[in-house]
Amino acid sequence: MTEGETKVFRLAYVPGVTPAKWVNIWSERMPDVPIILATVPPAEAVGLLRDGGADAGFVRLPVDRDGLSVIPLYVETTVVVVPKDHAVAAVEELTTADLADEEVLHPLDDTIEWTVRPGLPAFTRPATTAEAVELVAAGAGLLVVPQSLARLHHRRDLTYRPVSDAPQSQVALAWPTDATTDLVEDFIGIVRGRTVNSSRGRTPASPAEKPAQRQPQKSAKNRSGRRAVPADRKRKGHRPR
């Protein structure tokens, strides 16, 4: 960053991730540092980070971690997207075995790690999840995706149901290890839920300390609990009878 250039924080995220809550906290804590958001296809997220196109990014695991620092965050439920009038829509939850006789679309941008894909191969592999959703609406097959993507591409004529035994997608925060700047550390602290005064994260300079206030002196007491007698006070003797 050249002298005089405005300092910004560039955050990339893959479709389905909603960074709003972290961005809002950033805006409150770092009002002088704008945050620039960019949606990036899952297959391009790592390349963008390595090329310096973003300071950090939310990615879907697994990714090639070479040169990257990665903090796994949360795991998503996997669902199947179907037309509302499909038989699957009549149940609350199903398994991959329930899809054995169904044509299931497999988009090229799929990030779920399958050992064995469910159902029968569809007639085509769409380039994106968005295109696959359009094909589901056209009756050309079903689609198994992380729940956030089903919500992102919601249509009135489609619905989705959880697939209990399907692999799940995990979202993580990633950034180039050799570019772990102060701003990156600040964002990591926000994502980890640290408070602004956390000892583990960077914090703004603390305000000047107030001068210590003198506490009112308490009356000294002896061990018996009685008030102590001043040293210059003479002790009275008994009057002679």
Side-chain angles (χ1 to χ4, degrees):
M1 185 174 295
T2 60
E3 186 176 353
E5 186 178 349
T6 303
K7 186 185 294 187
V8 298
F9 184 72
R10 301 162 303 163
L11 178 66
Y13 63 98
V14 296
V17 175
T18 306
K21 63 179 180 180
W22 298 299
V23 171
N24 290 338
I25 296 173
W26 177 278
S27 299
E28 293 173 1
R29 296 186 187 178
M30 314 283 287
D32 297 330
V33 183
I35 186 167
I36 299 176
L37 302 176
T39 307
V40 58
E44 300 176 15
V46 169
L48 182 71
L49 293 172
R50 290 199 177 116
D51 293 341
D55 298 298
F58 291 106
V59 301
R60 289 189 184 275
L61 300 180
V63 295
D64 179 2
R65 300 194 182 198
D66 185 30
L68 295 181
S69 295
V70 178
I71 301 176
L73 297 177
Y74 59 89
V75 175
E76 287 194 61
T77 298
T78 300
V79 302
V80 58
V81 180
V82 301
K84 280 191 173 180
D85 58 357
H86 195 280
V88 167
V91 300
E92 293 186 0
E93 184 179 273
L94 62 156
T95 66
T96 53
D98 297 324
L99 302 174
D101 298 327
E102 302 286 349
E103 290 191 3
V104 179
L105 295 155
H106 184 199
L108 296 176
D109 64 355
D110 183 21
T111 58
I112 296 178
E113 279 197 301
W114 295 100
T115 303
V116 178
R117 288 195 54 80
L120 305 172
F123 72 99
T124 185
R125 286 197 68 184
T128 66
T129 297
E131 292 178 15
V133 170
E134 296 296 324
L135 290 173
V136 174
L142 308 184
L143 176 64
V144 180
V145 292
Q147 183 170 291
S148 65
L149 290 179
R151 289 174 175 170
L152 177 66
H153 299 292
H154 172 71
R155 291 174 50 117
R156 292 183 178 181
D157 53 348
L158 300 180
T159 187
Y160 59 85
R161 294 293 184 268
V163 183
S164 61
D165 61 344
Q168 295 177 310
S169 173
Q170 186 167 27
V171 173
L173 177 66
W175 68 96
T177 303
D178 59 1
T180 307
T181 63
D182 288 345
L183 292 181
V184 170
E185 290 283 8
D186 287 327
F187 192 74
I188 293 170
I190 289 172
V191 172
R192 286 188 178 277
R194 298 175 192 158
T195 65
V196 69
N197 294 320
S198 170
S199 60
R200 294 188 62 191
R202 291 179 64 241
T203 58
S206 57
E209 294 184 1
K210 296 181 179 180
Q213 296 182 353
R214 295 183 61 185
Q215 298 295 328
Q217 292 185 348
K218 296 181 180 180
S219 300
K221 295 184 179 181
N222 58 23
R223 292 184 179 179
S224 64
R226 298 176 182 174
R227 190 180 300 275
V229 179
D232 60 344
R233 189 170 170 183
K234 291 185 178 180
R235 195 172 184 181
K236 294 183 180 180
H238 295 287
R239 291 185 180 180
R241 294 182 179 178

